[in-house]
Amino acid sequence: MAPSVGVEVSPIDLNEQNQPNQIERAIATFAQSPNGGLIHTASGIGAANVNLIIAAAARYKLPAIYNQRPFVVSGGLISYGPNYPDQFRRAAGYVDRILRGEKPADLPVQAPNKYELAINLKTAKALGLSVPQSLLARADEVIE
């Protein structure tokens, strides 16, 4: 879909062998391309190095979106992802059904039905970005 809307996707491969300096170098190299931005997806390696990623994104003036609100609280620009407390509440229903004898394989897979948007205006200002009022109005949390 990215090419159909004029976007080029360039993944930065994070794996268990990546050292923090390799992650920093990969972000620095990516930042040399004009008009870039980062999308941090859910991964153990990414989560373990999120402070490094947030700091590197700030250092290289890259706007970044994350999958969890705590990343925005730590200085990331925007997060959009599932509302985890809601997911945990819904999981309790599945546990109840299993304990009552239903087979886990027979339970339907459910996608999140509640998402949350958080925006850090301090980070936006540091990046020289203005956030449209319409986006701010939709946000579940705005950090100033």
Side-chain angles (χ1 to χ4, degrees), residues 38-117:
L38 295 177
I39 300 173
H40 178 271
T41 58
S43 74
I45 300 300
N49 291 286
V50 73
N51 290 329
L52 167 71
I53 294 167
I54 290 170
R59 187 171 21 268
Y60 298 107
K61 303 286 188 198
L62 285 171
I65 185 167
Y66 302 87
N67 63 316
Q68 294 183 32
R69 179 193 155 278
F71 301 150
V72 173
V73 172
S74 296
L77 177 61
I78 294 176
S79 69
Y80 184 72
N83 178 298
Y84 287 102
D86 182 62
Q87 289 290 95
F88 298 148
R89 275 191 294 281
R90 292 174 63 207
Y94 268 50
V95 170
D96 179 60
R97 290 171 69 178
I98 293 167
L99 292 175
R100 292 178 187 267
E102 288 191 54
K103 294 179 184 173
D106 294 340
L107 296 175
V109 174
Q110 293 184 352
N113 61 7
K114 243 179 147 176
Y115 291 84
E116 60 185 4
L117 172 66

Side-chain angles (χ1 to χ4, degrees), residues 117-141:
L117 172 66
I119 302 169
N120 189 320
L121 288 179
K122 182 178 169 185
T123 301
K125 184 177 179 181
L127 293 171
L129 300 172
S130 61
V131 180
Q133 193 61 38
S134 60
L135 187 59
L136 291 173
R138 290 185 179 115
D140 296 291
E141 182 175 7

Side-chain angles (χ1 to χ4, degrees), residues 5-37:
V5 293
V7 175
E8 180 183 332
V9 176
S10 302
I12 296 175
D13 184 28
L14 299 182
N15 59 53
E16 292 79 29
Q17 286 76 40
N18 287 127
Q19 298 298 314
N21 63 343
Q22 292 170 308
I23 295 170
E24 170 89 22
R25 195 170 31 251
I27 292 171
T29 300
F30 176 77
Q32 294 174 1
S33 301
N35 302 319

